Amino acid sequence: MKAAEPAKAAAKKAPATPAKAAKTAPARLAKPAKPESHLSMVRRARRINRELAEVYPYAHPELDFRNPFELLVATVLSAQTTDLRVNQTTPALFAAYPTPEDLAAADPEAVEQLIRPTGFFRAKTKSIMGLAAALRDDFGGNVPGRLDDLVKLPGVGRKTANVVLGNAFGVPGITVDTHFGRLVRRWKWTDEEDPVKVEAVVAEIFPKSEWTMLSHRVVFHGRRICHARKPACGACPIAPLCPAYGEGETDPEKAKKLLKYEKGGFPGQRLSPPPDYPGLPAPPLAAG
């Protein structure tokens, strides 16, 4: 019995084990992550743009068009529908009404039937016939190359105007659609929701020469990888730069199955894509 007493004493003097020490040591508060400075955000944003330029060297407007008038009408029709559906619809429309003068003089019911697949066809008919009449009456049948003139046309806002300016006239513009707005907020470039405010913030981050192609790259990424409901985080080439990494599927093999269009081996949205597009052309309406 007495021989056990030294052992008991030693046990009392022995230092606490790591597990016991963890219970008795005062809790240490984790240091909060240092907020990203504006300069760091700008550098990260520009690096994302450079990375996307390597991922999508073929980025382009995903509406089929042959001239500014066709792009203007197609962009108005693209509201609340996909570019694919517009591209499948416009060949018949432009075959019947190739000029603003032709469309302005058309029978509204005939136009409605042609653009019905794009949805909201009555309101869209009013818009495209109204802008065609304005082009005929106020601009000699030509699409103006100034934002201030474009936004005065029926159904034309800043987004549509910037699409036309950037892709038909080579005038730099930032196109803030739902994909663009979603991604720039995920990337913490801005927390603004209003498209005009988003455009203004992003315009301060990038040189003007980058605006049009930046828009294409961001939209391409949003459509192919960084989806609204389930981003393919595990297959994202800019994951190390993304503050929102982990919102979507992080397993690489599962993420690959979420990729769309050429990234997933499927047709793109254009029936007549640019020569450097690596994916498959979209099928015409009858085959869709």
Side-chain angles (χ1 to χ4, degrees), residues 85-118:
R85 183 60 70 192
V86 174
N87 292 336
Q88 293 174 323
T89 302
T90 51
L93 176 68
F94 295 138
Y97 312 109
T99 69
E101 291 83 359
D102 294 326
L103 184 56
D107 175 8
E109 291 187 1
V111 176
E112 287 178 2
Q113 290 306 309
L114 287 172
I115 70 169
R116 180 183 286 268
T118 68

Side-chain angles (χ1 to χ4, degrees), residues 48-66:
I48 286 175
N49 183 42
R50 292 194 298 270
E51 295 282 345
L52 292 180
E54 294 184 7
V55 177
Y56 307 107
Y58 49 84
H60 59 271
E62 294 192 90
L63 288 169
D64 285 326
F65 69 98
R66 296 169 296 183

Side-chain angles (χ1 to χ4, degrees), residues 7-282:
K8 289 181 180 180
K12 290 180 180 179
K13 294 179 181 179
T17 62
K20 290 180 179 179
K23 292 179 181 179
T24 58
R28 293 184 179 179
L29 297 175
K31 293 183 179 179
K34 186 178 180 181
E36 184 179 41
S37 68
H38 179 73
L39 179 59
S40 294
M41 181 276 290
V42 169
R43 288 173 174 169
R44 180 171 58 82
R46 292 183 176 183
R47 185 177 172 189
I48 286 175
N49 183 42
R50 292 194 298 270
E51 295 282 345
L52 292 180
E54 294 184 7
V55 177
Y56 307 107
Y58 49 84
H60 59 271
E62 294 192 90
L63 288 169
D64 285 326
F65 69 98
R66 296 169 296 183
N67 54 58
F69 172 62
E70 290 189 358
L71 178 58
L72 177 60
V73 171
T75 306
V76 172
L77 294 178
S78 70
Q80 305 299 316
T81 190
T82 63
D83 287 356
L84 170 59
R85 183 60 70 192
V86 174
N87 292 336
Q88 293 174 323
T89 302
T90 51
L93 176 68
F94 295 138
Y97 312 109
T99 69
E101 291 83 359
D102 294 326
L103 184 56
D107 175 8
E109 291 187 1
V111 176
E112 287 178 2
Q113 290 306 309
L114 287 172
I115 70 169
R116 180 183 286 268
T118 68
F120 302 97
F121 57 92
R122 291 190 178 88
K124 289 180 180 180
T125 293
K126 185 177 180 180
S127 291
I128 64 174
M129 291 190 67
L131 70 84
L135 294 178
R136 178 196 62 194
D137 299 339
D138 302 331
F139 297 99
N142 298 311
V143 176
R146 295 176 64 250
L147 187 142
D148 289 346
D149 291 330
L150 285 168
V151 296
K152 294 176 183 177
L153 299 172
V156 179
R158 288 186 66 89
K159 185 192 82 168
T160 297
N162 279 328
V163 169
V164 174
L165 290 174
N167 298 288
F169 292 100
V171 177
I174 296 172
T175 303
V176 183
D177 69 355
T178 55
H179 301 287
F180 192 96
R182 179 178 74 251
L183 266 61
V184 300
R185 284 187 288 273
R186 276 182 177 166
W187 295 335
K188 305 299 183 185
W189 295 1
T190 180
D191 58 2
E192 296 287 355
E193 296 281 346
D194 180 76
V196 176
K197 292 181 179 178
V198 171
E199 179 186 340
V201 171
V202 176
E204 292 294 323
I205 298 174
F206 295 92
K208 198 171 184 178
S209 59
E210 287 291 313
W211 289 356
T212 299
M213 287 310 301
L214 169 73
S215 300
H216 292 323
R217 293 164 190 152
V218 173
V219 171
F220 258 56
H221 194 63
R223 285 174 170 166
R224 286 151 177 77
I225 296 177
C226 195
H227 312 133
R229 295 182 181 176
K230 199 169 185 181
C233 294
C236 181
I238 61 166
L241 300 171
C242 182
Y245 175 79
E247 286 188 10
E249 180 59 65
T250 57
D251 179 84
E253 292 305 316
K254 292 180 180 178
K256 285 181 182 179
K257 296 178 181 179
L258 301 174
L259 301 181
K260 295 182 179 179
Y261 303 113
E262 75 281 355
K263 294 298 181 184
F266 302 108
Q269 300 206 85
R270 293 188 67 165
L271 277 67
S272 301
D276 63 341
Y277 177 63
L280 301 171

